[in-house]
Amino acid sequence: MPVNFLDSESLSDLRRFLERGERIGASSVRLQALGAVLVSTVPVLAPKGLGDSTPLILGLRTQAIGPGEDRDVVVSIRSVRERIARMESAQELALDWPPVTLTESWAGMAPPQRGWERSGTVPVSEVAERADAVLAPLAQFTTTQPEAVLQSALRADAHAPLGPAGVAAAAQTLGFLVGSEPAVLARAARWSRLST
C-alpha cells in the first residue's frame, strides 16, 4: 500500500528535505509511516564503526499522510527522489515504497518517541548565527565529503544551551532555521533535540 500525501506541498517538502540530505552526504533515509504521519530521518553525522567517536546527528522531518499501513524501512534517498520526480510530473500523490531496503547501523540508534523533557528555548536567529559562524570559514574549502565539514563544526565550541555546534550547522543545512518562533530544546536519556 503506497504512502498517500494529502497535498503536493507536503510531497515537495519531502523532496527538498531529501535533496538537502544528499547535499550533506546522506545516501539513505529511514521512512516510518506511523498512523497519519510519515517520519523521514537522514543521518547528518554518524559513527562509521566500533571505536569511532563521531556523535550521531539525525535530521528528522514529518508530513501528514492519509490512512494506510504502518511501515518502517531504510531505503536509498535516490530511489525515493526518482519516485517523487515521476509523481510530481504526473501530479500524483501516492508514493510507492522502494522495493530494495538497506541495513544501516545509524538507523538502529533511533531516538525515543516518548519521554522528552523540554529544557528551554532559543531564538532561531541565534541558532542561525552560530551555524553561520561555524560554516562560513569552512565554505572556502572544496570537499567531496560534505560530512567532513560538519565534523569540523562539531569540534567547535560546544557551550550551553545549544550543545554541539554541529547541531546548529545541521539545522541550517537541512533548512530548519526559518520563521520567528523560537527553537525548542529537549532531552531524553542520552539524546538532545532541537526542534523548529
Side-chain angles (χ1 to χ4, degrees):
M1 177 174 263
V3 178
N4 295 298
F5 287 85
L6 301 184
D7 51 51
S8 59
E9 289 78 15
S10 296
L11 184 63
S12 296
D13 183 63
L14 175 60
R15 174 179 48 76
R16 285 189 298 272
F17 175 66
L18 296 178
E19 288 170 352
R20 290 169 178 153
E22 273 192 323
R23 278 201 297 268
I24 57 173
S27 61
S28 57
V29 58
R30 182 179 185 185
L31 297 176
Q32 297 170 280
L34 305 170
V37 176
L38 178 68
V39 180
S40 307
T41 308
V42 296
V44 177
L45 269 181
K48 302 284 190 231
L50 292 174
D52 185 347
S53 62
T54 302
L56 178 63
I57 298 180
L58 301 173
L60 184 147
R61 192 91 173 149
T62 62
Q63 285 90 23
I65 57 174
E69 62 180 332
D70 285 4
R71 254 179 113 169
D72 185 349
V73 297
V74 179
V75 294
S76 157
I77 288 179
R78 179 161 292 169
S79 67
V80 178
R81 286 188 56 204
E82 288 171 354
R83 282 169 170 70
I84 291 174
R86 288 194 297 270
M87 291 168 61
E88 289 181 326
S89 64
Q91 297 183 339
E92 296 176 352
L93 295 176
L95 173 67
D96 288 323
W97 294 92
V100 178
T101 59
L102 306 174
T103 301
E104 298 278 8
S105 59
W106 65 264
M109 298 181 275
Q113 293 183 6
R114 295 176 181 77
W116 290 93
E117 293 184 14
R118 185 172 166 151
S119 58
T121 62
V122 62
V124 165
S125 59
E126 185 178 324
V127 182
E129 286 174 15
R130 186 156 189 220
D132 290 342
V134 169
L135 294 173
L138 302 173
Q140 63 183 311
F141 301 106
T142 303
T143 176
T144 57
Q145 297 178 316
E147 62 270 20
V149 172
L150 289 179
Q151 285 177 348
S152 296
L154 281 166
R155 291 187 203 99
D157 180 36
H159 65 277
L162 293 180
V167 174
Q172 180 81 302
T173 55
L174 288 174
F176 291 157
L177 303 182
V178 296
S180 58
E181 292 293 316
V184 176
L185 303 167
R187 294 190 63 83
R190 296 180 305 144
W191 291 87
S192 298
R193 184 174 73 192
L194 175 75
S195 301
T196 60

